[in-house]
Amino acid sequence: MKVKIRLSGTKKEVARLRKHLLKNHPQMILSNPREGSNPKYANNQMWFCYGDYEAGKIRRRRSK
C-alpha cells in the first residue's frame, strides 16, 4: 500500500515537520521544501514537500 503525502505551510514549519517525519518513519520519502508558484498568491506563497509512504517497506533516500 502506497499513500501520497503533501506537507504545506511556512518554510520553517515544513522543514521541521519533514525532518521529524523522516527520522521517525523510514517507510517515507519526502522531497526538499519548495516554494509554491501559484500567481494568485504571488506575495504570500506557501511552501510544500511532496512524497509518499509505503507501509512495511524500508526505503533508501538518495540524500538527506
Side-chain angles (χ1 to χ4, degrees):
M1 169 180 74
K2 189 183 275 192
V3 178
K4 298 286 183 183
I5 296 171
R6 181 179 83 168
L7 305 177
S8 62
T10 66
K11 184 177 183 178
K12 186 176 181 179
E13 292 170 341
V14 171
R16 195 154 113 215
L17 184 56
R18 177 184 181 271
K19 184 177 178 182
H20 174 77
L21 289 171
L22 290 175
K23 181 178 179 184
N24 293 309
H25 299 280
Q27 305 89 345
M28 187 177 295
I29 289 183
L30 289 170
S31 67
N32 289 322
R34 64 185 180 109
E35 190 173 15
S37 58
N38 188 335
K40 182 177 176 181
Y41 303 105
N43 297 325
N44 192 21
Q45 293 289 347
M46 294 182 75
W47 286 74
F48 300 94
C49 280
Y50 296 93
D52 55 58
Y53 182 95
E54 192 165 351
K57 182 176 181 183
I58 305 300
R59 307 185 62 197
R60 289 186 70 191
R61 293 178 198 90
R62 288 179 268 171
S63 63
K64 292 195 178 201

